[in-house]
């Protein structure tokens, strides 16, 4: 009986030590997580993988983060994604657009997508409307998702998505979705885009012509008409030949803005 008692005592002691170690580990982990978050910039979006802790501990990390959300210390952007709120005299600000979608733009150091659509319209001065629908150009089709109050949709891009191409792809997207630019007038939009195209260098002009051949015919036609307007002697024949002469594009641009519309089947 005495022997059994000591065996029982040893087992209980081991369990008590194990429980104590577990409590201490959790305390250390919680402090590590909180200290790391303190070092994050306000508005920085993070996941369990951003903490200097073993991968096998990520489930526990998520539990700690869930507790911090419940306590109002951090905010949840979407499942498994969190951020430290930015506070101003006007109240709390959400993360910026890049932080909200950065995992959809880059993976393992490689560019896999780019912000376009309403974001591009706004940044290029084509509209003053602040987007709550985010559009991302990607190589493969994806279903739309929601993060916080942002609806995120994906636009298939047939051209290579590279850092060099992205500014040009965004411009071509504006031509592709010319009629969908909110709070804008066709003439003003055309004037603004002509100004932007005028600022492209020779290398960019050659590249954007090449990229346009994998776009919708409307985008190709509108680009050709604009580049020809800026430089009547420029080479736009390949773009013109790529168009179906029986297809017309109704864009409601004045002839005094784009005088060569008939040649490009633009109405």
């Amino acid at each position: 009986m005495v022997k059994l008692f000591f065996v029982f005592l040893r087992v209980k002691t081991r369990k008590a030590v194990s429980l104590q170690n577990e409590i201490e580990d959790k305390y250390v982990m919680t402090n590590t997580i909180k200290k790391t978050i303190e070092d994050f910039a306000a508005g920085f979006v993070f996941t369990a993988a951003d903490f200097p802790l073993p991968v096998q501990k990520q489930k526990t990390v998520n539990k700690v983060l869930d507790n911090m959300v419940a306590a109002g210390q951090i905010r949840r952007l979407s499942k498994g994604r969190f951020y430290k709120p930015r506070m101003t005299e006007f109240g709390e600000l959400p993360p910026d657009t890049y932080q909200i979608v950065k995992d959809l733009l880059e993976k393992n150091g490689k560019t896999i997508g780019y912000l376009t659509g309403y974001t591009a319209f706004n940044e290029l001065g084509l509209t003053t409307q602040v987007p709550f629908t985010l559009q991302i150009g990607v190589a493969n089709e994806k279903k739309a998702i929601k993060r916080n109050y942002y609806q995120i949709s994906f636009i298939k891009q047939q051209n290579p998505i590279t850092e060099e191409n992205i500014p040009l792809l965004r411009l071509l997207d504006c031509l592709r979705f010319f009629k969908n630019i909110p709070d804008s007038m066709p003439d003003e939009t055309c004037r603004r885009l002509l100004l932007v195209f005028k600022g492209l260098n020779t290398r960019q002009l050659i590249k954007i012509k090449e990229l346009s051949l994998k776009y919708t015919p409307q985008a190709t036609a509108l680009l050709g008409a604009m580049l020809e307007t800026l430089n009547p002697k420029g080479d736009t024949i390949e773009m013109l030949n790529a168009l179906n002469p029986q297809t017309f594009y109704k864009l409601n641009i004045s002839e005094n803005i784009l005088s060569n519309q008939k040649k490009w089947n633009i109405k």
Side-chain angles (χ1 to χ4, degrees):
M1 288 294 291
V2 174
K3 186 176 181 181
L4 285 174
F5 172 76
F6 280 110
V7 170
F8 173 77
L9 189 61
R10 281 199 298 271
V11 171
K12 293 289 285 182
T13 302
R14 285 173 189 158
K15 286 183 177 179
V17 171
S18 177
L19 181 60
Q20 180 64 30
N21 289 339
E22 186 179 331
I23 292 171
E24 289 177 0
D25 286 347
K26 189 172 182 179
Y27 176 79
V28 171
M29 186 182 300
T30 300
N31 280 346
T32 300
I33 292 169
K34 288 183 176 181
K35 179 64 174 68
T36 304
I37 291 174
E38 284 177 10
D39 293 337
F40 288 154
F44 175 79
V45 174
F46 55 89
T47 69
D50 289 307
F51 296 92
L53 296 165
V55 176
Q56 58 269 29
K57 297 286 187 181
Q58 284 191 9
K59 189 174 180 180
T60 306
V61 173
N62 276 316
K63 286 183 180 179
V64 174
L65 294 174
D66 286 340
N67 290 337
M68 292 182 71
V69 170
Q73 296 170 308
I74 59 174
R75 304 285 184 268
R76 180 183 283 103
L77 177 66
S78 59
K79 185 178 179 180
R81 305 188 69 77
F82 308 86
Y83 65 94
K84 185 168 66 174
R86 290 185 292 171
M87 303 304 298
T88 71
E89 59 181 312
F90 303 108
E92 184 177 318
L93 296 178
D96 62 37
T97 304
Y98 170 75
Q99 285 295 324
I100 290 169
V101 299
K102 62 183 178 181
D103 60 306
L104 304 172
L105 306 181
E106 187 177 315
K107 186 176 182 180
N108 299 325
K110 181 182 177 182
T111 300
I112 59 171
Y114 66 99
L115 277 163
T116 187
Y118 299 119
T119 303
F121 303 157
N122 181 272
E123 291 179 0
L124 289 167
L126 305 179
T127 182
T128 56
Q129 192 172 103
V130 178
F132 284 98
T133 296
L134 303 179
Q135 294 170 302
I136 298 175
V138 291
N140 301 305
E141 291 181 4
K142 292 183 179 181
K143 290 183 179 180
I145 61 174
K146 191 171 184 179
R147 286 188 176 171
N148 207 322
Y149 44 77
Y150 283 100
Q151 186 73 27
I152 302 172
S153 59
F154 300 90
I155 299 170
K156 187 174 181 179
Q157 175 56 253
Q158 295 186 28
N159 287 295
I161 298 173
T162 64
E163 291 301 317
E164 180 186 18
N165 284 353
I166 286 173
L168 305 178
L169 297 177
R170 283 159 59 96
L171 284 172
L172 288 168
D173 288 338
C174 292
L175 303 183
R176 177 182 176 184
F177 300 111
F178 186 87
K179 292 186 285 188
N180 303 113
I181 300 172
D183 296 333
S184 65
M185 298 297 290
D187 284 359
E188 290 306 312
T189 300
C190 189
R191 282 195 188 96
R192 175 61 188 159
L193 286 170
L194 282 167
L195 188 62
V196 175
F197 286 125
K198 189 176 181 180
L200 298 182
N201 59 40
T202 303
R203 181 177 175 179
Q204 289 173 316
L205 288 170
I206 293 171
K207 189 66 178 177
I208 200 168
K209 291 177 192 177
E210 176 192 327
L211 296 172
S212 76
L213 298 176
K214 289 187 178 180
Y215 263 76
T216 59
Q218 174 185 296
T220 306
L222 193 47
L223 177 68
M226 287 186 174
L227 295 185
E228 188 178 65
T229 296
L230 292 171
N231 180 12
K233 295 182 179 180
D235 182 12
T236 55
I237 191 66
E238 189 175 3
M239 288 186 291
L240 186 62
N241 289 340
L243 300 175
N244 183 340
Q246 303 303 316
T247 304
F248 294 84
Y249 317 100
K250 190 173 182 179
L251 301 176
N252 297 316
I253 301 169
S254 301
E255 285 195 13
N256 64 318
I257 304 295
L258 214 56
S259 60
N260 57 353
Q261 293 184 61
K262 188 174 181 180
K263 175 181 177 179
W264 294 90
N265 284 3
I266 296 171
K267 292 185 175 183

